[in-house]
Amino acid sequence: MTTTASWHGDVETPMRDGVVLRSDVWRLGDPAPAVVFRTPYGRRALTSDVLKPLDCILGGYAAVMQDTRGRFGSDGDWAPLMWDQEALDTFDTVEWVARQEWCNGQVILAGTSYGGILSFLGASTRPPSLAGVAAAMVTTGSRDRREMGGAMRLEQVLTWLIYMATDWVARHPELADERTVATLRDLWADPSPALTALPLVEGPMSSLTGFPLDIPALLSGEVSTTPEWRASDIDVPVFVTTGWYDVFCSATVDAFREAVAEQPDLSHRLVVGPWAHTGSLSHLVGEHNFGITASAGAARLPARQLDFFHRKDAASGAPSHEVTYFLMGADRWDSAPAWPPPNASPYVLHLHPGARAGGGSGFLGEAASENGAVDSYRYDPFVPVPVRGGRVIHLGRSTPGPIDLSWQLDRSDVLSYQTPPLSTAVDVVGRVRADLRVEIDQPDTDVVVRLVDCWPDGRIFPVAEGIVRLRDRTDAVVRHDRSGQGFDVRIDLGYTAQRFKAGHRMGLVITSSAFPHADRNLNSLESSVTSSEARTVTVNLHPAGSTLTVDAIDNQKDI
């Protein structure tokens, strides 16, 4: 193959209904497999450390970066959440690219976040020329609802709407009045008025004109922000990428697990770094420097993906399912043939009473507690716990990643449980969950749990987190305990890979809010979308009926 490459702008791609979408095409001198990126954010404005067109050219692939329908250079009408149309347009784009003289007939769909979701969505329509999916940081509507336990990703939804509405008005000034322009200008600088409004539908976003989306329907959950696809419909190799502080971390890991389960005769790959939901996959995340080898560039992430699909072209050898993950704390890359790794096993720690809201931690240990004492806190929706760090979106003012949470333990609505200082390191690699027994004196509340790494100097860093809204109780998550001592609540904290070093403590932080990452539970069975009726709730936690379960490797523990 020749190494000559060329760039072609505004290349027209006709869709089945005659609408023309436009792309920039990087092509080699000889026919080559092609990677297709589709984005609503402007094909010439996006960069990503996951995979870029230049990476494709250097790896022997052509690359196509396309504006989705009605966006930037592409014709047609755009709507914010037109997933059915996006699926058709992705299918048509794949087949059009495969017919071009510069393509050898094989096409890979690639992208991050929205682009990654489009890749899976398009793959589920089974384009005949599709050879693989290279997607990063993805989710589906149902998976996201389960992960949020009935709560809404408030900051993600509203800040994305502010971004899209501002862009829409800038490109369609004739459709918006002066009030809308002024509102969006203010929210672009500071989104907090939209996030803190009660009820949310009476916030500043309700005054927009011209923007083609029913915002109250979106906030109430009547309109899903993400589509669905079935893993059984995707019959090509899958390479997925995420980060331990990505808001879609666990959903992306499950995309790999489902691909393996549904298509075991195909090779699949998963790479998980210490990264957040950003385009720049640096070794600097939150307040930590994970070492230069933690960056996507140092890990050769783009080359790993392209090499993977080249091997699939060769169709040599038996299928394999490989996981490459960054073990935080040890700050090194490890690998496994499955997720969780086969050598990880469940490790149960029991909560013991002694946690005091506003200061003082209870105990986490291997032996079950026989003490029937209850630990309590009170949560006022008008003074929610502000979220800092962890798996949050960066579009508003929140910062993702490992950020010190020790200040939370001084609040009157937070409980903490910690092990003694570890005598040897404990590697938590795999799934994390908490099973808690709680009582409440109001009709509803949220249970928010974080697994944290407690450093000897007093700092506390988030590792994994989960939330359950009690009103959305199901037998699998929340069941009433017939002894009359409240609810048994299972909170899924997703996946992680974290070394708790010798001298550190493993801990749980428990409360009822994570604002504005999640919308506030008003504790009244009313939604903050349509109501401002809030009640203060007392939450009683029964440590004797509560546990933390983690997947751990080589547990030489003395807790």
Side-chain angles (χ1 to χ4, degrees):
M1 177 181 293
T2 179
T3 57
T4 301
S6 57
W7 176 85
H8 305 264
D10 295 317
V11 176
E12 296 186 352
T13 304
M15 300 292 100
R16 66 186 66 190
D17 60 358
V19 170
V20 173
L21 308 187
R22 290 180 177 83
S23 309
D24 291 340
V25 176
W26 290 255
R27 47 192 273 194
L28 297 167
D30 296 326
V35 179
V36 171
F37 305 83
R38 304 190 66 243
T39 177
Y41 305 126
R43 68 186 190 270
R44 296 176 182 174
L46 289 184
T47 60
S48 172
D49 287 347
V50 177
L51 189 64
K52 297 185 286 290
L54 179 59
D55 299 320
C56 299
I57 286 293
L58 295 175
Y61 287 77
V64 178
M65 181 70 84
Q66 182 186 77
D67 289 327
T68 55
R69 179 179 293 246
R71 300 292 292 167
F72 296 89
S74 290
D75 297 342
D77 296 324
W78 173 80
L81 303 169
M82 51 180 188
W83 299 118
D84 291 344
Q85 186 62 60
E86 293 282 36
L88 296 176
D89 288 351
T90 303
F91 181 104
D92 291 351
T93 299
V94 168
E95 293 307 303
W96 179 87
V97 168
R99 294 193 299 269
Q100 304 311 300
E101 73 279 1
W102 40 266
C103 179
N104 70 355
Q106 294 182 316
V107 181
I108 307 296
L109 281 169
T112 299
S113 193
Y114 192 105
I117 291 170
L118 290 189
S119 297
F120 270 106
L121 188 63
S124 70
T125 66
R126 296 187 172 179
S129 303
L130 187 64
V133 169
M137 303 180 178
V138 299
T139 192
T140 65
S142 59
R143 181 63 177 82
D144 206 48
R145 286 189 293 274
R146 290 195 303 273
E147 189 169 325
M148 291 300 293
M152 174 178 56
R153 293 189 189 274
L154 178 65
E155 188 169 31
Q156 177 180 322
V157 170
L158 278 180
T159 55
W160 183 82
L161 283 174
I162 292 168
Y163 169 79
M164 297 304 286
T166 302
D167 172 76
W168 174 262
V169 168
R171 294 189 298 112
H172 299 87
E174 73 282 1
L175 299 179
D177 57 24
E178 292 184 3
R179 180 183 179 186
T180 292
V181 172
T183 296
L184 288 172
R185 182 181 60 245
D186 292 343
L187 290 176
W188 184 259
D190 179 12
S192 59
L195 298 169
T196 58
L198 279 178
L200 288 166
V201 292
E202 295 182 7
M205 292 294 287
S206 64
S207 66
L208 303 186
T209 60
F211 186 53
L213 181 66
D214 186 340
I215 291 177
L218 182 69
L219 293 176
S220 65
E222 297 173 30
V223 177
S224 177
T225 57
T226 49
E228 299 294 332
W229 66 78
R230 296 185 305 178
S232 58
D233 290 335
I234 300 174
D235 55 3
V236 295
V238 167
F239 191 118
V240 290
T241 303
T242 186
W244 294 128
Y245 291 102
D246 172 25
V247 292
F248 298 150
C249 170
S250 298
T252 306
V253 172
D254 280 342
F256 165 79
R257 288 164 49 87
E258 291 165 1
V260 171
E262 293 291 342
Q263 304 289 350
D265 294 334
L266 297 175
S267 291
H268 305 291
R269 294 287 186 275
L270 168 66
V271 172
V272 191
W275 312 309
H277 196 92
T278 59
S280 174
L281 305 184
S282 169
H283 60 292
L284 306 175
V285 187
E287 296 178 1
H288 281 186
N289 182 335
F290 286 102
I292 193 66
T293 61
S295 70
R300 298 183 62 254
L301 177 59
R304 283 175 180 262
Q305 295 171 82
L306 299 176
D307 290 347
F308 169 74
F309 291 112
H310 269 313
R311 289 199 295 273
K312 301 293 88 51
D313 291 343
S316 60
S320 63
H321 310 128
E322 182 181 339
V323 180
T324 302
Y325 64 93
F326 192 82
L327 180 60
M328 300 181 293
D331 293 351
R332 69 169 191 241
W333 290 96
D334 282 346
S335 62
W339 189 264
N343 59 337
S345 58
Y347 172 43
V348 179
L349 290 172
H350 297 263
L351 278 66
H352 293 249
R356 298 188 305 277
S361 293
F363 174 66
L364 275 177
E366 292 180 340
S369 173
E370 297 180 359
N371 188 331
V374 173
D375 296 330
S376 302
Y377 66 85
R378 287 174 61 79
Y379 156 57
D380 180 355
F382 289 111
V383 193
V385 177
V387 69
R388 296 288 185 274
R391 294 169 180 166
V392 298
I393 200 72
H394 67 291
L395 296 177
R397 293 297 181 88
S398 295
T399 303
I403 295 177
D404 181 24
L405 299 179
S406 58
W407 56 271
Q408 285 192 355
L409 274 57
D410 295 330
R411 290 182 58 103
S412 61
D413 50 4
V414 174
L415 296 178
S416 167
Y417 297 84
Q418 299 178 10
T419 67
L422 300 173
S423 59
T424 59
V426 176
D427 290 348
V428 173
V429 182
R431 188 182 299 276
V432 180
R433 77 167 189 262
D435 291 281
L436 307 180
R437 180 165 295 175
V438 299
E439 292 178 85
I440 57 176
D441 65 353
Q442 297 296 338
D444 192 27
T445 198
D446 289 349
V447 180
V448 179
V449 181
R450 291 186 179 87
L451 174 67
V452 295
D453 182 7
C454 307
W455 286 39
D457 62 7
R459 290 179 294 167
I460 296 175
F461 293 100
V463 174
E465 54 213 42
I467 183 170
V468 166
R469 180 153 292 178
L470 294 185
R471 83 167 69 118
D472 293 319
R473 55 188 65 137
T474 66
D475 288 342
V477 176
V478 182
R479 64 177 178 83
H480 195 270
D481 177 56
R482 296 187 180 183
S483 68
Q485 292 184 324
F487 296 101
D488 287 338
V489 186
R490 172 161 292 181
I491 304 98
D492 182 2
L493 280 67
Y495 306 107
T496 193
Q498 173 73 46
R499 169 165 292 178
F500 292 84
K501 297 179 181 179
H504 289 221
R505 301 171 186 256
M506 191 184 305
L508 279 185
V509 175
I510 301 169
T511 184
S512 286
S513 53
F515 186 78
H517 170 63
D519 65 316
R520 286 175 281 188
N521 192 324
L522 302 181
N523 306 324
S524 61
L525 292 178
E526 298 294 330
S527 169
S528 63
V529 175
T530 56
S531 175
S532 59
E533 180 195 344
R535 304 180 184 182
T536 298
V537 64
T538 297
V539 179
N540 293 328
L541 175 68
H542 294 256
S546 302
T547 58
L548 165 69
T549 303
V550 300
D551 288 339
I553 294 177
D554 296 332
N555 292 320
Q556 300 176 7
K557 306 170 294 296
D558 183 15
I559 293 178

